[in-house]
Amino acid sequence: IGNNKIRKNKFTKLKKLNYKIATLIHLKSHCGYGSKVDEGTVMMQGSLINTNSQIGKNCIINSHASIDHDCLIKDHTHICPGVTIGGNVKIGKNCWIGLGSKIIENCIIGDNVYVAAGTVVIRNLKSNTFVKGVPAKYAKKRLA
């Protein structure tokens, strides 16, 4: 389920019913030494998670996304295909990191942040915001 809100609602309902939700890691993806991928998360083909990174519950790490060392991706976040995330990046809950976006090392991204496709994030981002462009700039309206 690609929509974060719908996926989170389904996950929460299943957990309330005491279901154990599988974590799915494609055989042609890679999760580095010391990294942790939590319950309900899906790693698609060609995705890469480097050393000592943590991926929360119910996330999507889509095809050919690259997450470098010591990153933290919190629950219900969608990392779209081709995203590149530098080392030591922290991404909050319920975020959407759009197709082909790039986030430089050491950035902190709050909860509920929408990063448009192709955006280059070079500084920390506040919660509940939408950014787009190169470099990323805050926008007034979020795309659909």
Side-chain angles (χ1 to χ4, degrees):
I1 302 172
N3 180 293
N4 281 359
K5 187 175 181 179
I6 294 170
R7 191 174 69 256
K8 180 181 178 181
N9 287 341
K10 299 278 186 195
F11 182 88
T12 302
K13 285 178 184 178
L14 290 171
K15 291 307 294 175
K16 285 181 182 176
L17 295 170
N18 292 319
Y19 279 84
K20 184 172 180 160
I21 302 170
T23 299
L24 304 174
I25 300 175
H26 194 281
L27 290 174
K28 292 186 178 179
S29 64
H30 178 76
C31 193
Y33 179 79
S35 290
K36 180 183 176 196
V37 178
D38 215 333
E39 180 180 26
T41 288
V42 177
M43 285 180 63
M44 302 296 191
Q45 180 177 351
S47 59
L48 169 68
I49 298 172
N50 267 324
T51 313
N52 296 321
S53 289
Q54 295 180 30
I55 311 300
K57 293 176 173 66
N58 195 38
C59 293
I60 296 174
I61 310 302
N62 226 314
S63 303
H64 305 286
S66 174
I67 299 170
D68 210 353
H69 64 88
D70 302 296
C71 287
L72 172 63
I73 312 293
K74 291 188 179 178
D75 301 345
H76 316 295
T77 288
H78 187 142
I79 307 297
C80 289
V83 168
T84 302
I85 298 173
N88 201 38
V89 169
K90 312 294 184 241
I91 299 177
K93 294 180 180 180
N94 310 311
C95 292
W96 178 277
I97 311 300
L99 183 73
S101 296
K102 298 182 183 333
I103 303 172
I104 69 162
E105 53 278 332
N106 302 311
C107 283
I108 299 170
I109 296 175
D111 295 335
N112 308 304
V113 173
Y114 185 97
V115 176
T119 297
V120 177
V121 177
I122 62 170
R123 61 182 60 92
N124 297 347
L125 299 176
K126 299 174 192 174
S127 291
N128 305 306
T129 56
F130 167 60
V131 296
K132 62 182 179 178
V134 180
K137 290 187 176 22
Y138 290 106
K140 292 181 182 179
K141 289 187 179 180
R142 180 181 147 171
L143 301 174

